[in-house]
Amino acid sequence: MDYLKEVEGKRVHDPLGRKMSKSERRILVPGPVIVGAGPSGLAVAACLKERGISSLILERENCIASLWNLKTYDRLHLHLPKEHCELPLMPFPPDFPRYPTKHQFLNYLEAYAKRFDIRPFFNKTVVSAEFDPRSRLWQVKTRGFKKEEEIVYQCQWLIVATGENAEEVVPEIQGMNEFAGPIIHTSSYKSGDSYRGKRVLVVGCGNSGMEVCLDLCNHNAFPSLAVRDSVHVLPQEMLGRSTFGLSMWLVKWFPVRLVDQFLLLVSRMMLGDTARLGLNRPKLGPLQLKSLSGKTPVLDVGTLAKIKTGNIKVCRGIKQLSCHTAEFVDGRVENFDAIILATGYKSNVTSWLKEGNMFSEKDGLPRKPFPNGWKGECGLYAVGFTKRGLLGASLDARRIAEELSVHSSWPFQHVRHDNHDL
């Protein structure tokens, strides 16, 4: 990583001879540029490092894993067992529980970055990245924390690691501006402590929505869950094994449809008929639905028990809001003091990456389905867009490192500049 210190402070002339503004610098990077210092970015940097390839990571926030550090609630645990969430080349500490806490996971990531000497450049927001066919280099323009200086990093290989969860999804609900109480996204929610005694409507029935409802309930709030779509709720564990791990083992031996039938049968035995609680199941089984749409089943950590006892109410989708109330599509009207939007996140790649082939304008995800979405054209790669969590990101990271280890010895034949000691 020593060369990164040199890279940050050196200028190179624009290979196209264009004039630079006084506030803009151009820096040639000998290795790959990675956008994003989350788990995906760290994983690919470590895999590259193992093969002797240094990289430069650009991160818009002031820390690694900013989603986990800044936008997650306190009680969060990994929903899958640790063996399915570890990054390449370094397992979790053996004394970690089966489902590590948020803080344990962050400690693991910090130790991971330290072990592989990964030192991202923080407060570097990528505003655009475009391949220049004349120089055969990617032009990655960044803006600093105070937006006073623009830097253009030039590189042969660009690795997009901003992930599927780069920006919050905030739905438009009729009457939102009229609602008198606070409306926040789960990215701003920390715990239910400040909601004691309050009536809170949680919008969205994914893993976050279900767990926020449970946390509110445990802090003596009165949560309601607004459910617009059908959802698969499965036990976190069944038959003494994690549901995820058991599913992955079963699909090696049986067709997905049979595995889905098995999962639904055991879930019915353990959880009962969720439709009676207002949680209708989709027509497709959980694994088929995940494969086709990327929609993840909810792994229950205790929320269903609170729904069964009436501590958490289940409501239909919202029709409109007013000063203190929400009207639902079934005509029911309820009073609420606050609303929490558990409406998820989305990719933001297409807002800054000037490329139309690899990523879809519709959802900001690779057009090619898994496992082929990691490689684009002209030295463009993606990691962490598989809809398969940390396990998918690790697979991408290994593939990219393997590919670049073959090509990383290519000289910069197309670059003309004065600073040959870069």
Side-chain angles (χ1 to χ4, degrees):
M1 292 290 286
D2 289 342
Y3 88 95
L4 294 182
K5 296 178 181 178
E6 300 176 13
V7 165
E8 180 64 39
K10 293 188 176 182
R11 295 175 184 262
V12 295
H13 291 299
D14 184 349
L16 301 184
R18 292 175 296 209
K19 293 182 178 180
M20 294 183 293
S21 66
K22 293 181 179 179
S23 62
E24 181 181 283
R25 287 192 296 153
R26 292 184 179 273
I27 297 175
L28 177 65
V29 181
V33 167
I34 302 169
V35 183
S40 296
L42 299 179
V44 73
C47 289
L48 289 167
K49 193 69 173 289
E50 185 200 27
R51 293 174 177 269
I53 304 171
S54 293
S55 58
L56 184 151
I57 301 182
L58 302 173
E59 168 57 45
R60 64 180 177 180
E61 301 292 349
N62 62 355
C63 59
I64 64 170
S66 61
L67 180 65
W68 283 84
N69 258 308
L70 307 175
K71 297 183 178 183
T72 51
Y73 40 91
D74 295 340
R75 66 154 285 139
L76 179 64
H77 289 62
L78 292 179
H79 290 114
L80 303 182
K82 60 184 179 181
E83 61 267 24
H84 299 295
C85 299
E86 62 190 25
L87 300 186
L89 310 173
M90 179 175 152
F92 281 97
D95 60 336
F96 271 29
R98 192 175 195 181
Y99 300 96
T101 67
K102 161 187 171 178
H103 299 293
Q104 287 172 324
F105 184 58
L106 285 170
N107 288 339
Y108 166 76
L109 294 179
E110 291 286 353
Y112 190 86
K114 184 176 181 180
R115 174 173 173 176
F116 295 101
D117 194 25
I118 301 171
R119 289 176 281 175
F121 289 167
F122 296 118
N123 299 315
K124 300 288 187 184
T125 299
V126 175
V127 294
S128 69
E130 185 172 9
F131 183 74
D132 176 48
R134 292 179 63 184
S135 65
R136 303 294 299 170
L137 295 175
W138 286 92
Q139 312 291 318
V140 186
K141 181 182 290 188
T142 67
R143 189 171 291 127
F145 180 69
K146 296 180 180 180
K147 300 182 180 180
E148 75 284 359
E149 181 182 57
E150 289 185 347
I151 299 177
V152 177
Y153 296 91
Q154 301 172 311
C155 57
Q156 280 189 288
W157 306 283
L158 176 63
I159 302 173
V160 180
T162 48
E164 303 157 356
N165 302 318
E167 302 289 348
E168 296 90 343
V169 173
V170 178
E172 293 184 7
I173 303 174
Q174 185 176 343
M176 283 182 74
N177 294 333
E178 300 175 21
F179 187 74
I183 300 178
I184 67 167
H185 191 271
T186 47
S187 59
S188 300
Y189 177 87
K190 294 304 177 185
S191 84
D193 189 55
S194 59
Y195 294 91
R196 292 181 185 275
K198 295 183 178 181
R199 297 160 298 184
V200 184
L201 178 62
V202 178
V203 182
C205 59
N207 280 296
S208 293
M210 297 284 266
E211 194 162 357
V212 165
C213 275
L214 179 61
D215 189 56
L216 288 165
C217 203
N218 291 339
H219 283 89
N220 298 316
F222 302 100
S224 295
L225 182 66
V227 180
R228 184 184 63 178
D229 300 320
S230 56
V231 59
H232 280 299
V233 182
L234 306 177
Q236 190 173 38
E237 298 189 348
M238 55 175 64
L239 306 181
R241 298 182 61 176
S242 77
T243 299
F244 178 81
L246 180 62
S247 301
M248 293 302 98
W249 181 79
L250 287 172
V251 295
K252 294 179 180 178
W253 304 98
F254 302 100
V256 171
R257 185 172 297 179
L258 280 181
V259 177
D260 273 340
Q261 291 176 0
F262 171 79
L263 294 176
L264 293 175
L265 176 63
V266 176
S267 294
R268 176 82 178 235
M269 294 171 59
M270 295 180 66
L271 303 176
D273 183 8
T274 59
R276 298 181 62 181
L277 304 175
L279 302 170
N280 296 310
R281 292 192 182 277
K283 293 181 180 180
L284 285 176
L287 298 185
Q288 283 183 293
L289 187 65
K290 173 68 175 174
S291 177
L292 291 174
S293 70
K295 187 174 182 181
T296 303
V298 171
L299 297 175
D300 180 51
V301 292
T303 306
L304 279 187
K306 297 293 186 181
I307 293 175
K308 291 176 181 177
T309 58
N311 295 101
I312 298 174
K313 293 182 180 180
V314 175
C315 307
R316 297 288 301 279
I318 301 171
K319 181 179 180 181
Q320 63 180 8
L321 301 172
S322 60
C323 185
H324 296 288
T325 66
E327 179 184 350
F328 301 97
V329 293
D330 59 1
R332 186 170 151 197
V333 178
E334 297 279 349
N335 292 331
F336 294 101
D337 301 303
I339 296 175
I340 298 173
L341 302 174
T343 45
Y345 297 83
K346 63 182 178 181
S347 165
N348 71 354
V349 174
T350 55
S351 68
W352 55 268
L353 181 63
K354 310 306 178 184
E355 184 272 348
N357 295 322
M358 185 175 185
F359 288 88
S360 168
E361 288 286 346
K362 181 179 179 181
D363 57 12
L365 301 179
R367 297 180 189 275
K368 294 180 181 178
F370 178 84
N372 301 313
W374 60 277
K375 182 179 179 181
E377 300 174 351
C378 304
L380 179 63
Y381 300 91
V383 57
F385 293 88
T386 64
K387 297 184 179 179
R388 285 164 173 77
L390 295 169
L391 190 61
S394 295
L395 292 173
D396 283 346
R398 293 181 186 276
R399 291 189 182 107
I400 294 169
E402 182 178 358
E403 164 126 341
L404 290 190
S405 66
V406 177
H407 302 299
S408 62
S409 59
W410 292 352
F412 286 81
Q413 296 174 344
H414 302 285
V415 183
R416 296 179 180 177
H417 56 81
D418 295 334
N419 293 319
H420 297 287
D421 57 341
L422 271 174

